[in-house]
Amino acid sequence: MEMPMRTLNYLLLSVREPLQSAELYSKLLGCEPVEQGKTFVLYVLPTGLKIGLWRADDVEPAPKPAGGVEISFSEPSKEAVRATYAAWTQLGLKVVQEPTDMDFGFTFVVEDPDGHRLRPFVLAMNPR
């Protein structure tokens, strides 16, 4: 039997405090949540991707410790990556990787307070 192609359109992040995380993610995503409560916050991005921030204590089955997911954001240029780096480090995010050229492009990595990794990048001309 052939398996149907599925659409990936929803990302759930386990977080300690959804409302606190929403304060940060509203700045990172440049939009406000469409749903906001003590245990769950939901964003719907212009691309249609949904990002949920779910209080880890309420997730069933229980998740592993909060954090550890990496979310990548494509940027139009190295200058845009540098501008994002400047803005995000002003928010006090932990820098895991300084801006650098890698095989796939120019990038950096920061962590949110729950340990989720955020990686903006611009694709290299000839990525490996």
Side-chain angles (χ1 to χ4, degrees):
M1 176 170 26
E2 190 172 318
M3 295 296 289
M5 179 179 265
R6 291 177 176 81
T7 302
L8 175 60
N9 60 5
Y10 209 121
L11 179 64
L12 285 173
L13 300 177
S14 297
V15 298
R16 287 183 283 275
E17 295 293 335
L19 293 175
Q20 277 184 305
S21 293
E23 290 178 26
L24 172 65
Y25 274 84
S26 291
K27 294 172 186 169
L28 298 177
L29 300 172
C31 65
E32 293 300 315
V34 298
E35 181 181 331
Q36 188 167 323
K38 276 180 27 178
T39 62
F40 184 76
V41 174
L42 178 65
Y43 292 88
V44 179
L45 304 185
T47 62
L49 177 66
K50 297 172 185 77
I51 297 179
L53 307 174
W54 196 359
R55 188 169 68 192
D57 292 346
D58 289 354
V59 177
E60 291 291 333
K64 294 188 180 204
V69 170
E70 182 167 301
I71 303 172
S72 295
F73 302 82
S74 58
E75 298 273 8
S77 66
K78 279 188 171 184
E79 292 74 27
V81 173
R82 286 186 185 103
T84 299
Y85 177 80
W88 288 9
T89 55
Q90 287 292 314
L91 297 173
L93 297 174
K94 178 183 174 188
V95 176
V96 179
Q97 180 183 45
E98 296 286 336
T100 188
D101 283 301
M102 297 189 71
D103 289 347
F104 61 87
F106 186 69
T107 189
F108 71 89
V109 178
V110 295
E111 285 184 350
D112 75 7
D114 290 291
H116 298 297
R117 294 165 49 133
L118 309 169
R119 179 188 295 275
F121 72 96
V122 60
L123 199 58
M125 292 292 282
N126 295 306
R128 292 187 201 172

